[in-house]
Amino acid sequence: MPLTVAQLSESALLERILPRLQSPHGEPSGVLLGPGDDAALVAAPDGRVLLSVDTQVQDMDFRLQWPNGYRTSGFDVGWKAAAQNLSDINAMGGDATSLVVSLTLPGTTAVGWVEDLADGLTAAIRELGASACSVVGGDLGRGTEISVTAAVTGSLRGRSPVVRSGARPGDVVVLAGTVGRAAAGLALLESSHGYESLGADLLRLVECQCRPRPPLQAGPAAAQAGATAMMDISDGLVRDAHRLASASSVRVDFDPETLKSLSSPLVAAAGLLDADPLEWVLGGGEDHGLLATVNPNVMPLAGFTAVGSIRAGHAEVTVGSEPPANVGWDHFAD
């Protein structure tokens, strides 16, 4: 039987976790005091600090075992906890500088699963390119289900933040990263098609759901290029674009042909599941792509694809000037 967290003291569990959270190249220069005290100490040379927080709860945000047989690893949950927080800092045009993590664990949780979670956190930070960031502390607690809350700080390095309210009529709407793939992966996980039977292309969609890859270099690059508005796509292209439209008091109009091309990697999964791939592009969240608006004179913008335009009018989202059928994910209504 695997060793569980109930068989260890809090100190003994931390002794297994903390070494896994250390950067292989030492602490980033902005970390003045890392794990081990009551609080971490992080430099803020810019004089301002970006701050965001996200939570994953077992059976709400992930299942330990999915209907198609896939078992969620601690590595998956750790990776996703880092990725979704790093993406929020990216969407403001900043660079992440530190991460703190709070874990609530049932006593039956395998110690190896928690060690894998720590490995997933550090792997995501490293592989996604957040070189100025590290895990600097957190908290452990016991509960009836696994819950992982991560909070991240970031620096603008002297730049102005790029907010949702800056889009103006005439701007080009651009996208970095992917949309719809995590939703397709979720549909595969929830299906009866066995995980072991899936081909390589379908497995990559599952990985997009379990280990998303936000384009972390795109946010600061767009900010430096003069992006007028930006936001992370976590709840679906249409729903998040509507938030941008509302904040900026404009209409976001997506190009239907471009959206159709974005759905092409999803066609095989849609055929298997009798689904419409365009619905995943419009309404699927958790790829953590980056939606931005820019003045036409900065196009083409490296790493971004033009997907639409900003029009004058009341706040709404249209596709080819028509209302879309799919409006995306709502945490409380869905």
Side-chain angles (χ1 to χ4, degrees), residues 6 27 108 117 202 216 240 276:
E27 296 290 2
T108 55
L117 186 145
L202 299 181
L216 296 189
D240 286 325
D276 181 353

Side-chain angles (χ1 to χ4, degrees), residues 173-187:
V173 181
V174 294
L175 171 73
T178 63
V179 288
R181 300 186 191 188
L186 177 62

Side-chain angles (χ1 to χ4, degrees), residues 26-40:
E27 296 290 2
S29 58
V31 179
L32 305 179
L33 184 64
D37 283 87
D38 292 303

Side-chain angles (χ1 to χ4, degrees), residues 301-316:
L301 183 58
F304 285 85
T305 299
V307 294
S309 59
I310 297 295
R311 310 284 181 87
H314 66 273
E316 65 175 333

Side-chain angles (χ1 to χ4, degrees), residues 177-200:
T178 63
V179 288
R181 300 186 191 188
L186 177 62
L188 289 165
L189 288 168
E190 295 279 19
S191 78
S192 59
H193 297 280
Y195 174 75
E196 299 294 338
S197 70
L198 300 179

Side-chain angles (χ1 to χ4, degrees), residues 134-208:
S134 68
V135 180
V136 297
D139 182 57
L140 286 175
R142 185 164 178 164
T144 58
E145 60 194 3
I146 297 173
S147 178
V148 182
T149 296
V152 62
T153 63
S155 173
L156 290 165
R157 303 191 186 283
R159 300 184 292 266
S160 296
V162 185
V163 295
R164 302 177 182 183
S165 58
R168 298 291 180 263
D171 282 351
V172 180
V173 181
V174 294
L175 171 73
T178 63
V179 288
R181 300 186 191 188
L186 177 62
L188 289 165
L189 288 168
E190 295 279 19
S191 78
S192 59
H193 297 280
Y195 174 75
E196 299 294 338
S197 70
L198 300 179
D201 288 345
L202 299 181
L203 290 175
R204 278 192 285 271
L205 296 177
V206 171
E207 185 169 275
C208 285

